[in-house]
Amino acid sequence: MSKIGLNDFLVGVIRNEEVSSVLAITKNDLSAFAKLCEGSLKKLSIMNLAHLDANSAEPNDLCIIFDDMPISKTQIGLIKNMLSQKILIVKKNKDGNDHQKFLELGFTHDNEITQARIYSYNLKTYNNKRGWNNPEGWANPENFEKYRW
């Protein structure tokens, strides 16, 4: 585990993923984070879950959900389907209550920083194309298009 801070980790993700707009769901003051992102982002939106449920959010390249906001599976599903294809959830290291819930929703656990657990979801890398999932890998491929099953 490296000793990288949360803001440095998030800025690194924004630069590596070439993100231009971020939706942060939190009540915390993100002025230090916003200052670090000045040259990298075109838009940084900050809101709480009440605005999310009121459908007042716009789609963004990345959504970051901070640990001060308890979030339900339904709300995460809304974010995945409507607001962002890349999502980061920041939880306190001590808080392992939601670990299984995030894994069930397709998130991966990232161990890159020491002060928080990071769960990430990226639709583009979530379900990679498999080489075996084609007609050549199935039983009797020579019969495809010949017989009606």
Side-chain angles (χ1 to χ4, degrees):
M1 247 191 254
S2 69
K3 299 282 185 182
I4 189 169
L6 180 59
N7 284 346
D8 294 330
F9 173 79
L10 295 175
V11 169
V13 168
I14 289 168
R15 290 187 180 140
N16 290 340
E17 295 287 329
E18 298 176 357
V19 171
S20 63
S21 62
V22 171
L23 170 64
I25 299 178
T26 186
K27 294 178 186 173
N28 294 336
D29 178 23
L30 296 181
S31 56
F33 173 66
K35 191 169 185 170
L36 288 172
C37 295
E38 277 182 352
S40 304
L41 288 178
K42 292 181 182 175
K43 182 175 95 173
L44 174 63
S45 305
I46 301 170
M47 66 173 34
N48 62 28
L49 289 175
H51 293 101
L52 176 70
D53 292 336
N55 294 325
S56 62
E58 297 177 5
N60 289 278
D61 295 337
L62 174 68
C63 179
I64 305 170
I65 304 164
F66 289 89
D67 62 348
D68 65 325
M69 297 299 244
I71 190 159
S72 69
K73 283 185 173 183
T74 305
Q75 290 167 325
I76 293 172
L78 175 71
I79 293 167
K80 286 170 66 173
N81 293 334
M82 305 281 288
L83 299 178
S84 184
Q85 295 182 353
K86 298 176 187 173
I87 303 169
L88 291 177
I89 298 178
V90 179
K91 295 299 265 181
K92 292 180 181 158
N93 254 343
K94 300 172 194 165
D95 186 12
N97 297 338
D98 294 328
H99 180 75
Q100 186 63 34
K101 174 174 76 171
F102 296 142
L103 296 180
E104 290 171 359
L105 291 170
F107 284 80
T108 57
H109 180 243
D110 230 339
N111 282 332
E112 295 204 26
I113 63 174
T114 56
Q115 72 226 36
R117 287 181 175 206
I118 306 291
Y119 294 92
S120 61
Y121 175 83
N122 187 344
L123 183 62
K124 291 181 182 175
T125 60
Y126 168 69
N127 193 8
N128 292 327
K129 194 167 186 112
R130 294 161 191 87
W132 56 265
N133 195 12
N134 59 48
E136 290 77 30
W138 296 344
N140 305 318
E142 65 277 357
N143 291 335
F144 285 179
E145 309 268 338
K146 288 185 182 177
Y147 303 106
R148 190 165 199 172
W149 298 22

CSV table of all heavy atoms in Angstrom, one decimal, residues 14-47:
chain,number,residue,atom,x,y,z
A,14,ILE,N,-8.3,11.2,-12.3
A,14,ILE,CA,-8.9,12.2,-13.3
A,14,ILE,C,-7.9,12.4,-14.5
A,14,ILE,O,-8.4,12.4,-15.6
A,14,ILE,CB,-9.2,13.6,-12.6
A,14,ILE,CG1,-10.4,13.4,-11.7
A,14,ILE,CG2,-9.4,14.7,-13.6
A,14,ILE,CD1,-10.6,14.5,-10.7
A,15,ARG,N,-6.7,12.5,-14.2
A,15,ARG,CA,-5.7,12.7,-15.3
A,15,ARG,C,-5.5,11.4,-16.1
A,15,ARG,O,-5.4,11.4,-17.3
A,15,ARG,CB,-4.4,13.2,-14.7
A,15,ARG,CG,-4.5,14.6,-14.2
A,15,ARG,CD,-3.2,15.2,-13.8
A,15,ARG,NE,-3.4,16.5,-13.4
A,15,ARG,CZ,-2.8,17.1,-12.3
A,15,ARG,NH1,-1.9,16.4,-11.6
A,15,ARG,NH2,-3.1,18.3,-12.0
A,16,ASN,N,-5.4,10.2,-15.5
A,16,ASN,CA,-5.2,9.0,-16.2
A,16,ASN,C,-6.4,8.6,-17.0
A,16,ASN,O,-6.2,8.0,-18.1
A,16,ASN,CB,-4.9,7.8,-15.2
A,16,ASN,CG,-3.6,8.0,-14.6
A,16,ASN,OD1,-2.7,8.7,-15.1
A,16,ASN,ND2,-3.4,7.3,-13.4
A,17,GLU,N,-7.6,8.9,-16.6
A,17,GLU,CA,-8.8,8.5,-17.3
A,17,GLU,C,-9.3,9.6,-18.2
A,17,GLU,O,-10.3,9.4,-18.9
A,17,GLU,CB,-9.9,8.2,-16.3
A,17,GLU,CG,-9.7,7.0,-15.4
A,17,GLU,CD,-9.9,5.7,-16.2
A,17,GLU,OE1,-10.6,5.6,-17.1
A,17,GLU,OE2,-9.1,4.7,-15.8
A,18,GLU,N,-8.5,10.7,-18.3
A,18,GLU,CA,-8.9,11.9,-19.1
A,18,GLU,C,-10.3,12.3,-18.9
A,18,GLU,O,-11.1,12.5,-19.9
A,18,GLU,CB,-8.6,11.5,-20.6
A,18,GLU,CG,-7.2,11.2,-20.9
A,18,GLU,CD,-6.9,10.7,-22.3
A,18,GLU,OE1,-7.9,10.6,-23.1
A,18,GLU,OE2,-5.7,10.5,-22.6
A,19,VAL,N,-10.6,12.6,-17.7
A,19,VAL,CA,-12.0,13.0,-17.3
A,19,VAL,C,-12.0,14.5,-17.4
A,19,VAL,O,-11.1,15.2,-17.0
A,19,VAL,CB,-12.2,12.6,-15.8
A,19,VAL,CG1,-13.5,13.2,-15.3
A,19,VAL,CG2,-12.2,11.0,-15.7
A,20,SER,N,-13.2,15.0,-18.0
A,20,SER,CA,-13.3,16.4,-18.1
A,20,SER,C,-14.4,17.0,-17.1
A,20,SER,O,-14.5,18.2,-16.9
A,20,SER,CB,-13.6,16.8,-19.5
A,20,SER,OG,-14.8,16.3,-19.9
A,21,SER,N,-15.4,16.1,-16.7
A,21,SER,CA,-16.4,16.6,-15.8
A,21,SER,C,-16.6,15.6,-14.6
A,21,SER,O,-16.6,14.4,-14.9
A,21,SER,CB,-17.7,16.8,-16.5
A,21,SER,OG,-18.2,15.5,-17.1
A,22,VAL,N,-16.7,16.1,-13.4
A,22,VAL,CA,-16.8,15.3,-12.2
A,22,VAL,C,-18.1,15.7,-11.4
A,22,VAL,O,-18.3,16.9,-11.2
A,22,VAL,CB,-15.6,15.4,-11.3
A,22,VAL,CG1,-15.8,14.7,-10.0
A,22,VAL,CG2,-14.4,14.8,-12.0
A,23,LEU,N,-18.8,14.7,-11.0
A,23,LEU,CA,-19.9,14.9,-10.0
A,23,LEU,C,-19.5,14.4,-8.7
A,23,LEU,O,-19.2,13.2,-8.6
A,23,LEU,CB,-21.2,14.2,-10.5
A,23,LEU,CG,-22.3,14.2,-9.5
A,23,LEU,CD1,-22.8,15.6,-9.2
A,23,LEU,CD2,-23.5,13.3,-10.0
A,24,ALA,N,-19.4,15.2,-7.7
A,24,ALA,CA,-19.0,14.8,-6.3
A,24,ALA,C,-20.2,14.8,-5.5
A,24,ALA,O,-20.9,15.8,-5.4
A,24,ALA,CB,-17.9,15.7,-5.8
A,25,ILE,N,-20.5,13.7,-4.8
A,25,ILE,CA,-21.7,13.6,-3.9
A,25,ILE,C,-21.2,13.6,-2.5
A,25,ILE,O,-20.6,12.6,-2.0
A,25,ILE,CB,-22.5,12.3,-4.2
A,25,ILE,CG1,-23.0,12.4,-5.7
A,25,ILE,CG2,-23.7,12.2,-3.3
A,25,ILE,CD1,-23.8,11.2,-6.1
A,26,THR,N,-21.3,14.7,-1.8
A,26,THR,CA,-20.8,14.9,-0.5
A,26,THR,C,-21.4,16.2,0.1
A,26,THR,O,-22.0,17.0,-0.6
A,26,THR,CB,-19.3,15.0,-0.6
A,26,THR,OG1,-18.8,15.1,0.8
A,26,THR,CG2,-18.8,16.3,-1.3
A,27,LYS,N,-21.2,16.3,1.4
A,27,LYS,CA,-21.5,17.5,2.2
A,27,LYS,C,-20.2,18.2,2.6
A,27,LYS,O,-20.2,19.3,3.1
A,27,LYS,CB,-22.3,17.2,3.4
A,27,LYS,CG,-23.7,16.7,3.1
A,27,LYS,CD,-24.4,16.4,4.4
A,27,LYS,CE,-25.7,15.7,4.2
A,27,LYS,NZ,-26.4,15.3,5.4
A,28,ASN,N,-19.1,17.6,2.3
A,28,ASN,CA,-17.8,18.1,2.8
A,28,ASN,C,-17.3,19.3,1.9
A,28,ASN,O,-17.8,19.5,0.8
A,28,ASN,CB,-16.7,17.0,2.7
A,28,ASN,CG,-16.9,15.9,3.6
A,28,ASN,OD1,-17.6,16.1,4.7
A,28,ASN,ND2,-16.4,14.7,3.3
A,29,ASP,N,-16.4,20.1,2.4
A,29,ASP,CA,-15.8,21.2,1.7
A,29,ASP,C,-14.7,20.6,0.8
A,29,ASP,O,-13.7,20.0,1.2
A,29,ASP,CB,-15.2,22.2,2.7
A,29,ASP,CG,-14.5,23.3,2.0
A,29,ASP,OD1,-14.8,23.6,0.8
A,29,ASP,OD2,-13.6,23.9,2.6
A,30,LEU,N,-14.8,20.7,-0.5
A,30,LEU,CA,-13.9,20.2,-1.5
A,30,LEU,C,-13.1,21.3,-2.1
A,30,LEU,O,-12.6,21.1,-3.3
A,30,LEU,CB,-14.6,19.4,-2.6
A,30,LEU,CG,-15.4,18.2,-2.1
A,30,LEU,CD1,-16.0,17.5,-3.3
A,30,LEU,CD2,-14.5,17.2,-1.4
A,31,SER,N,-12.9,22.4,-1.5
A,31,SER,CA,-12.1,23.5,-2.1
A,31,SER,C,-10.7,23.1,-2.4
A,31,SER,O,-10.1,23.5,-3.4
A,31,SER,CB,-12.2,24.8,-1.2
A,31,SER,OG,-11.7,24.5,0.1
A,32,ALA,N,-10.0,22.3,-1.5
A,32,ALA,CA,-8.6,21.9,-1.8
A,32,ALA,C,-8.6,21.0,-3.0
A,32,ALA,O,-7.7,21.1,-3.8
A,32,ALA,CB,-8.0,21.2,-0.5
A,33,PHE,N,-9.5,20.1,-3.1
A,33,PHE,CA,-9.6,19.2,-4.2
A,33,PHE,C,-9.9,20.0,-5.5
A,33,PHE,O,-9.3,19.7,-6.5
A,33,PHE,CB,-10.7,18.1,-4.0
A,33,PHE,CG,-11.0,17.3,-5.2
A,33,PHE,CD1,-10.0,16.4,-5.6
A,33,PHE,CD2,-12.2,17.3,-5.8
A,33,PHE,CE1,-10.3,15.6,-6.7
A,33,PHE,CE2,-12.5,16.5,-6.9
A,33,PHE,CZ,-11.5,15.6,-7.3
A,34,ALA,N,-10.8,20.9,-5.4
A,34,ALA,CA,-11.1,21.7,-6.6
A,34,ALA,C,-9.9,22.5,-7.1
A,34,ALA,O,-9.7,22.7,-8.3
A,34,ALA,CB,-12.3,22.7,-6.3
A,35,LYS,N,-9.1,23.0,-6.2
A,35,LYS,CA,-7.9,23.8,-6.5
A,35,LYS,C,-6.9,22.9,-7.2
A,35,LYS,O,-6.3,23.3,-8.2
A,35,LYS,CB,-7.3,24.4,-5.3
A,35,LYS,CG,-6.2,25.4,-5.6
A,35,LYS,CD,-5.9,26.2,-4.4
A,35,LYS,CE,-4.9,27.3,-4.8
A,35,LYS,NZ,-4.6,28.2,-3.7
A,36,LEU,N,-6.8,21.7,-6.8
A,36,LEU,CA,-5.9,20.7,-7.4
A,36,LEU,C,-6.3,20.4,-8.9
A,36,LEU,O,-5.5,20.0,-9.7
A,36,LEU,CB,-5.7,19.4,-6.6
A,36,LEU,CG,-4.9,19.5,-5.3
A,36,LEU,CD1,-5.1,18.2,-4.6
A,36,LEU,CD2,-3.5,19.8,-5.6
A,37,CYS,N,-7.6,20.4,-9.1
A,37,CYS,CA,-8.2,20.0,-10.4
A,37,CYS,C,-8.4,21.1,-11.4
A,37,CYS,O,-8.9,20.9,-12.5
A,37,CYS,CB,-9.5,19.3,-10.2
A,37,CYS,SG,-9.5,17.8,-9.2
A,38,GLU,N,-8.0,22.3,-11.0
A,38,GLU,CA,-8.2,23.5,-11.9
A,38,GLU,C,-7.8,23.3,-13.3
A,38,GLU,O,-8.5,23.7,-14.2
A,38,GLU,CB,-7.6,24.8,-11.3
A,38,GLU,CG,-8.4,25.4,-10.2
A,38,GLU,CD,-7.8,26.6,-9.6
A,38,GLU,OE1,-6.6,26.9,-10.0
A,38,GLU,OE2,-8.5,27.3,-8.9
A,39,GLY,N,-6.6,22.8,-13.6
A,39,GLY,CA,-6.2,22.7,-15.0
A,39,GLY,C,-6.7,21.4,-15.7
A,39,GLY,O,-6.7,21.4,-16.9
A,40,SER,N,-7.2,20.5,-14.9
A,40,SER,CA,-7.6,19.2,-15.5
A,40,SER,C,-9.1,19.1,-15.8
A,40,SER,O,-9.5,18.3,-16.7
A,40,SER,CB,-7.3,18.1,-14.5
A,40,SER,OG,-5.9,18.1,-14.2
A,41,LEU,N,-9.9,19.8,-15.1
A,41,LEU,CA,-11.4,19.6,-15.3
A,41,LEU,C,-12.0,20.8,-16.0
A,41,LEU,O,-11.7,22.0,-15.7
A,41,LEU,CB,-12.1,19.4,-13.9
A,41,LEU,CG,-11.8,18.1,-13.2
A,41,LEU,CD1,-12.5,18.1,-11.9
A,41,LEU,CD2,-12.3,17.0,-14.0
A,42,LYS,N,-13.1,20.6,-16.7
A,42,LYS,CA,-13.9,21.6,-17.3
A,42,LYS,C,-15.0,21.9,-16.4
A,42,LYS,O,-15.5,23.1,-16.3
A,42,LYS,CB,-14.5,21.2,-18.7
A,42,LYS,CG,-13.4,21.1,-19.7
A,42,LYS,CD,-14.1,20.7,-21.0
A,42,LYS,CE,-13.0,20.5,-22.1
A,42,LYS,NZ,-13.6,20.0,-23.4
A,43,LYS,N,-15.5,20.9,-15.6
A,43,LYS,CA,-16.7,21.1,-14.8
A,43,LYS,C,-16.6,20.2,-13.5
A,43,LYS,O,-16.3,19.0,-13.6
A,43,LYS,CB,-18.0,20.7,-15.5
A,43,LYS,CG,-19.2,20.9,-14.7
A,43,LYS,CD,-20.4,20.7,-15.6
A,43,LYS,CE,-20.9,19.3,-15.4
A,43,LYS,NZ,-22.2,19.0,-16.1
A,44,LEU,N,-16.8,20.8,-12.4
A,44,LEU,CA,-16.9,20.0,-11.1
A,44,LEU,C,-18.2,20.4,-10.4
A,44,LEU,O,-18.4,21.6,-10.1
A,44,LEU,CB,-15.7,20.4,-10.2
A,44,LEU,CG,-15.7,19.8,-8.8
A,44,LEU,CD1,-15.7,18.3,-8.8
A,44,LEU,CD2,-14.6,20.4,-7.9
A,45,SER,N,-19.1,19.4,-10.3
A,45,SER,CA,-20.4,19.6,-9.6
A,45,SER,C,-20.4,18.9,-8.3
A,45,SER,O,-19.9,17.8,-8.2
A,45,SER,CB,-21.5,19.0,-10.5
A,45,SER,OG,-21.5,19.6,-11.8
A,46,ILE,N,-20.9,19.6,-7.3
A,46,ILE,CA,-21.0,19.0,-5.9
A,46,ILE,C,-22.4,19.1,-5.5
A,46,ILE,O,-23.0,20.1,-5.6
A,46,ILE,CB,-20.1,19.8,-5.0
A,46,ILE,CG1,-18.6,19.8,-5.4
A,46,ILE,CG2,-20.2,19.2,-3.6
A,46,ILE,CD1,-17.7,20.7,-4.7
A,47,MET,N,-22.9,17.9,-5.1
A,47,MET,CA,-24.3,17.9,-4.6
A,47,MET,C,-24.5,16.8,-3.5
A,47,MET,O,-23.6,16.0,-3.3
A,47,MET,CB,-25.3,17.6,-5.8
A,47,MET,CG,-25.1,16.3,-6.4
A,47,MET,SD,-26.4,15.9,-7.7
A,47,MET,CE,-26.7,17.4,-8.4
